[in-house]
Amino acid sequence: MVTQVESLNKLTTVVCDTGDFNAIKKFAPQDATTNPSLIYKAAMMEEYASVVDEAVAYGNGDVSVTMDKLAVAFGTEITKIVPGYVSTEVDARLSFDKDATIAKALELIKMYEEVGIKKERILIKIAATWEGIQAAKVLEQFGITCNLTLIFSIAQAIACAEAGCTLISPFVGRIMDWYKKSQGVEGYAAAEDPGVMSVTAIYNYYKKHGHDTIVMGASFRNTDEITELAGCDRLTISPPLLDQLSSTQGSLPLKLDAEKAKAMDIPKIEMTENTFRWMMNEDPMATEKVAEGIRGFAKDIVKLEQIVQDKINAKNKKAGLVREGIRGFAKDIVKLEQIVQDKINAKNKKRRTR
């Protein structure tokens, strides 16, 4: 009998949501995704200390360059494990700056190309603010594929599709978290889970209106949410939930069906900036969760920057001690040379007096 993860692989492209190389090797997914929180956790693991140290050496004292190199270094190792896309995220603090997001994405791609990784292997991950979506539109025109993350509403999804984004990551579990708190309930049946319903609506809209943007459900709280979305283009799943699916027997039925979606009566929405901002304004869950997500990623970036700065400081201190030691040795050599010179002078003087 097949396991649930084996069955899921026949219906959906499974992606591993982690920065842990060993976990990715274990599950052998098609793609892998990371974010600042996952990179922070991985960077804290002793087995990846060398990756951090190499990034620090590359950055040569520049924290920003080191941070970019660290993300690329993790991504580079992951490309050796998975055959498909690897997502690398732009600094969340640039989420409302279109031009800075574009510039940062180009820097990341350049770093990947320096180590022989083609841009076609990389998804630049950007928060799905209006500015982020417009930055992705430009990047896609340059042939740089983008993963728009922190998707909590159909407005974001439509804007991303119309911008020509390669992939979006609608967050399932975080939507459920908000509604559980708002409605004061313990949970939902899988088919009634607000997060599942949101991804289903986005998937059906895309298939109905012929959008090529890939829908990749993310941020799962349990395996029921995952199995209820069997048939989605992609699902990015954490190692613990992949473990549960791997240890559970059973064939999964198709839940999302592109052909059925095409026959559905789903009106098309023309997405302008005004429409986008109004729809987000009318959706308190989406507005709050996008802001919360950006703040969370930014917080972990600051933590990671502190780790990097500490390593830079330690490296500089070590270099300072080395320089101090060299100066000390040089000083002692000069003293010794003076002693030798004094003896030579004394010997020559003695010879002259004979």
Side-chain angles (χ1 to χ4, degrees):
M1 192 172 184
V2 299
T3 64
Q4 286 188 337
V5 77
E6 289 170 335
S7 181
L8 185 63
N9 269 312
K10 296 176 181 178
L11 304 172
T12 286
T13 298
V14 174
V15 179
C16 197
D17 194 21
T18 182
D20 184 347
F21 309 150
N22 293 325
I24 298 170
K25 289 176 182 176
K26 177 180 178 180
F27 297 107
Q30 173 69 21
D31 304 336
T33 55
T34 64
N35 60 44
S37 302
L38 296 176
I39 295 295
Y40 171 71
K41 289 176 184 176
M44 294 292 286
M45 299 167 70
E46 184 61 33
E47 59 207 277
Y48 302 130
S50 62
V51 179
V52 180
D53 290 340
E54 288 172 11
V56 169
Y58 180 96
N60 195 30
D62 189 317
V63 173
S64 178
V65 172
T66 302
M67 290 289 288
D68 290 345
K69 183 60 177 177
L70 185 57
V72 169
F74 272 95
T76 298
E77 291 304 312
I78 295 171
T79 63
K80 299 174 184 177
I81 305 169
V82 302
Y85 288 123
V86 173
S87 291
T88 298
E89 190 150 351
V90 168
D91 190 327
R93 293 169 296 187
L94 304 179
S95 296
F96 302 99
D97 190 328
K98 171 188 168 183
D99 293 338
T101 295
I102 293 169
K104 180 62 71 178
L106 294 174
E107 289 170 10
L108 292 170
I109 291 298
K110 182 180 179 182
M111 283 187 176
Y112 271 113
E113 290 177 339
E114 286 176 359
V115 293
I117 307 298
K118 295 181 179 180
K119 68 179 185 295
E120 289 78 13
R121 291 291 314 278
I122 306 303
L123 284 172
I124 294 296
K125 203 171 179 185
I126 301 169
T129 58
W130 180 258
E131 294 80 5
I133 295 167
Q134 300 314 303
K137 182 177 182 178
V138 174
L139 291 167
E140 291 279 358
Q141 291 169 353
F142 282 107
I144 296 172
T145 50
C146 298
N147 169 0
L148 274 290
T149 189
L150 296 175
I151 300 283
F152 295 99
S153 78
I154 191 71
Q156 291 171 290
I158 295 171
C160 289
E162 293 185 355
C165 298
T166 296
L167 181 148
I168 63 167
S169 298
F171 281 30
V172 179
R174 296 194 193 190
I175 292 177
M176 182 190 70
D177 293 344
W178 191 92
Y179 279 101
K180 281 173 61 178
K181 182 178 179 180
S182 175
Q183 297 178 357
V185 298
E186 292 297 317
Y188 303 89
E192 298 171 355
D193 184 310
V196 170
M197 293 171 67
S198 176
V199 175
T200 300
I202 291 169
Y203 177 90
N204 288 337
Y205 184 95
Y206 275 18
K207 304 314 174 188
K208 170 67 178 181
H209 296 291
H211 292 301
D212 294 328
T213 298
I214 297 166
V215 181
M216 182 174 72
S219 174
F220 295 103
R221 297 291 180 258
N222 54 65
T223 56
D224 287 343
E225 289 180 325
I226 296 167
T227 58
E228 194 63 30
L229 291 172
C232 192
D233 299 328
R234 279 171 168 76
L235 297 174
T236 184
I237 306 169
S238 67
L241 291 178
L242 283 172
D243 269 327
Q244 290 183 41
L245 292 166
S246 298
S247 60
T248 305
Q249 301 290 319
S251 183
L252 299 177
L254 181 68
K255 293 290 186 173
L256 301 189
D257 188 322
E259 292 306 314
K260 289 182 179 178
K262 291 175 184 177
M264 293 179 181
D265 182 17
I266 305 173
K268 186 173 178 61
I269 299 173
E270 297 298 331
M271 191 55 61
T272 64
E273 180 178 356
N274 288 342
T275 302
F276 176 90
R277 295 195 185 282
W278 180 252
M279 289 179 70
M280 291 295 289
N281 179 73
E282 291 296 281
D283 189 338
M285 178 278 295
T287 299
E288 290 175 24
K289 297 307 286 186
V290 171
E292 178 184 88
I294 291 171
R295 286 195 301 269
F297 286 154
K299 185 177 180 181
D300 283 334
I301 289 170
V302 171
K303 290 180 185 176
L304 189 54
E305 283 179 336
Q306 188 58 57
I307 293 173
V308 167
Q309 187 63 63
D310 289 346
K311 284 187 173 286
I312 290 172
N313 293 342
K315 182 183 177 184
N316 290 340
K317 183 178 181 181
K318 185 178 180 180
L321 290 173
V322 170
R323 288 192 295 271
E324 184 179 334
I326 292 172
R327 286 195 296 269
F329 288 142
K331 187 176 180 180
D332 289 338
I333 290 170
V334 171
K335 288 179 181 177
L336 184 57
E337 284 177 338
Q338 187 60 55
I339 293 171
V340 170
Q341 187 63 57
D342 289 345
K343 286 186 175 291
I344 292 172
N345 292 341
K347 184 177 180 181
N348 292 337
K349 183 178 181 181
K350 187 175 182 181
R351 283 177 178 173
R352 286 194 298 269
T353 59
R354 284 178 178 176

